[in-house]
PDB file of all heavy atoms in Angstrom:
ATOM      1  N   CYS F  54      94.823  75.515  96.337  1.00 96.00           N
ATOM      2  CA  CYS F  54      95.570  74.713  97.310  1.00 96.00           C
ATOM      3  C   CYS F  54      96.399  75.562  98.262  1.00 96.00           C
ATOM      4  O   CYS F  54      96.918  75.049  99.245  1.00 96.00           O
ATOM      5  CB  CYS F  54      96.472  73.709  96.594  1.00 96.00           C
ATOM      6  SG  CYS F  54      97.793  74.472  95.618  1.00 96.00           S
ATOM      7  N   ASP F  62     103.438  95.812 105.964  1.00 92.00           N
ATOM      8  CA  ASP F  62     103.685  95.738 107.404  1.00 92.00           C
ATOM      9  C   ASP F  62     103.250  94.363 107.909  1.00 92.00           C
ATOM     10  O   ASP F  62     102.077  94.127 108.210  1.00 92.00           O
ATOM     11  CB  ASP F  62     102.896  96.840 108.125  1.00 92.00           C
ATOM     12  CG  ASP F  62     103.289  96.982 109.596  1.00 92.00           C
ATOM     13  OD1 ASP F  62     103.688  95.973 110.210  1.00 92.00           O
ATOM     14  OD2 ASP F  62     103.183  98.098 110.129  1.00 92.00           O
ATOM     15  N   ALA F  68      98.491  90.803 113.069  1.00 96.00           N
ATOM     16  CA  ALA F  68      97.598  91.123 114.185  1.00 96.00           C
ATOM     17  C   ALA F  68      96.170  91.334 113.695  1.00 96.00           C
ATOM     18  O   ALA F  68      95.202  90.911 114.351  1.00 96.00           O
ATOM     19  CB  ALA F  68      98.097  92.368 114.906  1.00 96.00           C
ATOM     20  N   ASP F  86     116.042  90.882 104.003  1.00 46.00           N
ATOM     21  CA  ASP F  86     115.616  90.205 102.788  1.00 46.00           C
ATOM     22  C   ASP F  86     114.460  89.238 103.011  1.00 46.00           C
ATOM     23  O   ASP F  86     113.916  88.711 102.054  1.00 46.00           O
ATOM     24  CB  ASP F  86     116.792  89.437 102.176  1.00 46.00           C
ATOM     25  CG  ASP F  86     117.931  90.365 101.782  1.00 46.00           C
ATOM     26  OD1 ASP F  86     117.624  91.467 101.288  1.00 46.00           O
ATOM     27  OD2 ASP F  86     119.086  89.989 101.973  1.00 46.00           O
ATOM     28  N   TYR F 117      96.782  80.282  94.783  1.00 98.00           N
ATOM     29  CA  TYR F 117      97.538  79.251  94.065  1.00 98.00           C
ATOM     30  C   TYR F 117      96.598  78.080  93.741  1.00 98.00           C
ATOM     31  O   TYR F 117      95.844  77.630  94.606  1.00 98.00           O
ATOM     32  CB  TYR F 117      98.688  78.720  94.922  1.00 98.00           C
ATOM     33  CG  TYR F 117      99.796  79.707  95.177  1.00 98.00           C
ATOM     34  CD1 TYR F 117      99.601  80.804  96.015  1.00 98.00           C
ATOM     35  CD2 TYR F 117     101.048  79.544  94.597  1.00 98.00           C
ATOM     36  CE1 TYR F 117     100.619  81.707  96.259  1.00 98.00           C
ATOM     37  CE2 TYR F 117     102.083  80.447  94.842  1.00 98.00           C
ATOM     38  CZ  TYR F 117     101.853  81.528  95.679  1.00 98.00           C
ATOM     39  OH  TYR F 117     102.857  82.425  95.923  1.00 98.00           O
ATOM     40  N   ARG F 132     100.660  80.039  75.737  1.00 97.00           N
ATOM     41  CA  ARG F 132      99.876  79.780  74.523  1.00 97.00           C
ATOM     42  C   ARG F 132      98.544  80.528  74.553  1.00 97.00           C
ATOM     43  O   ARG F 132      98.031  80.958  73.511  1.00 97.00           O
ATOM     44  CB  ARG F 132      99.606  78.275  74.363  1.00 97.00           C
ATOM     45  CG  ARG F 132     100.804  77.455  73.923  1.00 97.00           C
ATOM     46  CD  ARG F 132     100.383  76.083  73.446  1.00 97.00           C
ATOM     47  NE  ARG F 132      99.666  75.335  74.469  1.00 97.00           N
ATOM     48  CZ  ARG F 132     100.259  74.515  75.341  1.00 97.00           C
ATOM     49  NH1 ARG F 132     101.580  74.353  75.303  1.00 97.00           N
ATOM     50  NH2 ARG F 132      99.544  73.854  76.238  1.00 97.00           N
ATOM     51  N   ARG F 138     104.919  85.916  85.276  1.00 96.00           N
ATOM     52  CA  ARG F 138     105.488  86.908  86.190  1.00 96.00           C
ATOM     53  C   ARG F 138     106.671  86.323  86.964  1.00 96.00           C
ATOM     54  O   ARG F 138     107.672  86.999  87.184  1.00 96.00           O
ATOM     55  CB  ARG F 138     104.417  87.411  87.156  1.00 96.00           C
ATOM     56  CG  ARG F 138     103.235  88.100  86.491  1.00 96.00           C
ATOM     57  CD  ARG F 138     102.224  88.620  87.496  1.00 96.00           C
ATOM     58  NE  ARG F 138     102.808  89.665  88.337  1.00 96.00           N
ATOM     59  CZ  ARG F 138     103.089  89.502  89.618  1.00 96.00           C
ATOM     60  NH1 ARG F 138     102.856  88.330  90.234  1.00 96.00           N
ATOM     61  NH2 ARG F 138     103.612  90.494  90.323  1.00 96.00           N
ATOM     62  N   VAL F 139     106.524  85.084  87.412  1.00 96.00           N
ATOM     63  CA  VAL F 139     107.599  84.365  88.093  1.00 96.00           C
ATOM     64  C   VAL F 139     107.705  82.992  87.434  1.00 96.00           C
ATOM     65  O   VAL F 139     106.788  82.175  87.543  1.00 96.00           O
ATOM     66  CB  VAL F 139     107.317  84.204  89.600  1.00 96.00           C
ATOM     67  CG1 VAL F 139     108.442  83.418  90.267  1.00 96.00           C
ATOM     68  CG2 VAL F 139     107.137  85.558  90.271  1.00 96.00           C
ATOM     69  N   GLY F 148     108.019  72.070  97.019  1.00 92.00           N
ATOM     70  CA  GLY F 148     107.226  72.003  95.803  1.00 92.00           C
ATOM     71  C   GLY F 148     107.777  72.962  94.774  1.00 92.00           C
ATOM     72  O   GLY F 148     108.846  73.567  94.956  1.00 92.00           O
ATOM     73  N   ARG F 149     107.054  73.116  93.685  1.00 96.00           N
ATOM     74  CA  ARG F 149     107.464  73.973  92.576  1.00 96.00           C
ATOM     75  C   ARG F 149     106.329  74.959  92.297  1.00 96.00           C
ATOM     76  O   ARG F 149     105.161  74.556  92.217  1.00 96.00           O
ATOM     77  CB  ARG F 149     107.763  73.120  91.343  1.00 96.00           C
ATOM     78  CG  ARG F 149     108.437  73.847  90.180  1.00 96.00           C
ATOM     79  CD  ARG F 149     109.023  72.814  89.211  1.00 96.00           C
ATOM     80  NE  ARG F 149     109.571  73.398  88.004  1.00 96.00           N
ATOM     81  CZ  ARG F 149     110.773  73.971  87.911  1.00 96.00           C
ATOM     82  NH1 ARG F 149     111.542  74.026  88.979  1.00 96.00           N
ATOM     83  NH2 ARG F 149     111.202  74.477  86.762  1.00 96.00           N
ATOM     84  N   PHE F 172      97.496  74.261 101.888  1.00 96.00           N
ATOM     85  CA  PHE F 172      96.839  74.520 103.170  1.00 96.00           C
ATOM     86  C   PHE F 172      96.267  73.234 103.755  1.00 96.00           C
ATOM     87  O   PHE F 172      95.971  72.275 103.036  1.00 96.00           O
ATOM     88  CB  PHE F 172      95.777  75.626 103.075  1.00 96.00           C
ATOM     89  CG  PHE F 172      94.824  75.530 101.917  1.00 96.00           C
ATOM     90  CD1 PHE F 172      94.044  74.418 101.695  1.00 96.00           C
ATOM     91  CD2 PHE F 172      94.683  76.607 101.050  1.00 96.00           C
ATOM     92  CE1 PHE F 172      93.145  74.359 100.643  1.00 96.00           C
ATOM     93  CE2 PHE F 172      93.785  76.563  99.991  1.00 96.00           C
ATOM     94  CZ  PHE F 172      93.017  75.429  99.787  1.00 96.00           C
ATOM     95  N   SER F 180      88.943  79.662 107.435  1.00 98.00           N
ATOM     96  CA  SER F 180      89.731  79.148 106.324  1.00 98.00           C
ATOM     97  C   SER F 180      89.070  79.498 104.998  1.00 98.00           C
ATOM     98  O   SER F 180      87.932  79.966 104.943  1.00 98.00           O
ATOM     99  CB  SER F 180      89.909  77.624 106.443  1.00 98.00           C
ATOM    100  OG  SER F 180      88.676  76.955 106.273  1.00 98.00           O
ATOM    101  N   GLY F 199      89.814  78.315  81.191  1.00 96.00           N
ATOM    102  CA  GLY F 199      89.373  76.998  80.730  1.00 96.00           C
ATOM    103  C   GLY F 199      90.468  76.288  79.960  1.00 96.00           C
ATOM    104  O   GLY F 199      90.657  75.074  80.087  1.00 96.00           O
ATOM    105  N   GLY F 213      67.475  90.232  90.791  1.00 67.00           N
ATOM    106  CA  GLY F 213      67.245  91.637  90.461  1.00 67.00           C
ATOM    107  C   GLY F 213      67.810  92.069  89.128  1.00 67.00           C
ATOM    108  O   GLY F 213      68.066  93.257  88.914  1.00 67.00           O
ATOM    109  N   GLY F 214      68.017  91.108  88.217  1.00 66.00           N
ATOM    110  CA  GLY F 214      68.553  91.458  86.905  1.00 66.00           C
ATOM    111  C   GLY F 214      69.984  91.916  86.932  1.00 66.00           C
ATOM    112  O   GLY F 214      70.422  92.723  86.100  1.00 66.00           O
ATOM    113  N   GLY F 215      70.760  91.408  87.893  1.00 67.00           N
ATOM    114  CA  GLY F 215      72.150  91.825  88.041  1.00 67.00           C
ATOM    115  C   GLY F 215      73.126  91.113  87.132  1.00 67.00           C
ATOM    116  O   GLY F 215      74.334  91.225  87.334  1.00 67.00           O
ATOM    117  N   PRO F 227      81.988  66.712  90.171  1.00 92.00           N
ATOM    118  CA  PRO F 227      80.571  67.093  90.208  1.00 92.00           C
ATOM    119  C   PRO F 227      80.386  68.512  90.723  1.00 92.00           C
ATOM    120  O   PRO F 227      81.297  69.103  91.307  1.00 92.00           O
ATOM    121  CB  PRO F 227      79.958  66.070  91.170  1.00 92.00           C
ATOM    122  CG  PRO F 227      81.090  65.643  92.043  1.00 92.00           C
ATOM    123  CD  PRO F 227      82.307  65.684  91.183  1.00 92.00           C
ATOM    124  N   ARG F 230      81.480  70.180  94.032  1.00 93.00           N
ATOM    125  CA  ARG F 230      82.877  70.550  94.221  1.00 93.00           C
ATOM    126  C   ARG F 230      83.208  71.920  93.613  1.00 93.00           C
ATOM    127  O   ARG F 230      84.377  72.241  93.384  1.00 93.00           O
ATOM    128  CB  ARG F 230      83.793  69.473  93.645  1.00 93.00           C
ATOM    129  CG  ARG F 230      83.932  68.237  94.542  1.00 93.00           C
ATOM    130  CD  ARG F 230      84.590  68.545  95.882  1.00 93.00           C
ATOM    131  NE  ARG F 230      85.886  69.207  95.687  1.00 93.00           N
ATOM    132  CZ  ARG F 230      87.015  68.549  95.464  1.00 93.00           C
ATOM    133  NH1 ARG F 230      87.017  67.230  95.449  1.00 93.00           N
ATOM    134  NH2 ARG F 230      88.131  69.204  95.287  1.00 93.00           N
ATOM    135  N   PHE F 256      86.559  83.914 102.964  1.00 98.00           N
ATOM    136  CA  PHE F 256      86.844  83.159 104.171  1.00 98.00           C
ATOM    137  C   PHE F 256      85.550  82.838 104.921  1.00 98.00           C
ATOM    138  O   PHE F 256      84.694  83.707 105.117  1.00 98.00           O
ATOM    139  CB  PHE F 256      87.780  83.949 105.087  1.00 98.00           C
ATOM    140  CG  PHE F 256      89.131  84.220 104.494  1.00 98.00           C
ATOM    141  CD1 PHE F 256      89.564  85.518 104.262  1.00 98.00           C
ATOM    142  CD2 PHE F 256      89.973  83.174 104.152  1.00 98.00           C
ATOM    143  CE1 PHE F 256      90.803  85.770 103.720  1.00 98.00           C
ATOM    144  CE2 PHE F 256      91.220  83.409 103.598  1.00 98.00           C
ATOM    145  CZ  PHE F 256      91.641  84.713 103.378  1.00 98.00           C
ATOM    146  N   ASP F 281      72.610  89.609 103.042  1.00 92.00           N
ATOM    147  CA  ASP F 281      72.249  88.213 102.806  1.00 92.00           C
ATOM    148  C   ASP F 281      72.180  87.941 101.313  1.00 92.00           C
ATOM    149  O   ASP F 281      71.602  88.729 100.554  1.00 92.00           O
ATOM    150  CB  ASP F 281      70.903  87.899 103.456  1.00 92.00           C
ATOM    151  CG  ASP F 281      70.944  88.003 104.969  1.00 92.00           C
ATOM    152  OD1 ASP F 281      71.944  87.556 105.555  1.00 92.00           O
ATOM    153  OD2 ASP F 281      69.982  88.537 105.562  1.00 92.00           O
TER     154      ASP F 281
END
Side-chain angles (χ1 to χ4, degrees):
C54 65
D62 190 330
D86 298 321
Y117 292 71
R132 286 195 302 269
R138 299 182 64 251
V139 178
R149 190 164 174 80
F172 46 57
S180 67
R230 282 296 306 276
F256 297 118
D281 295 319

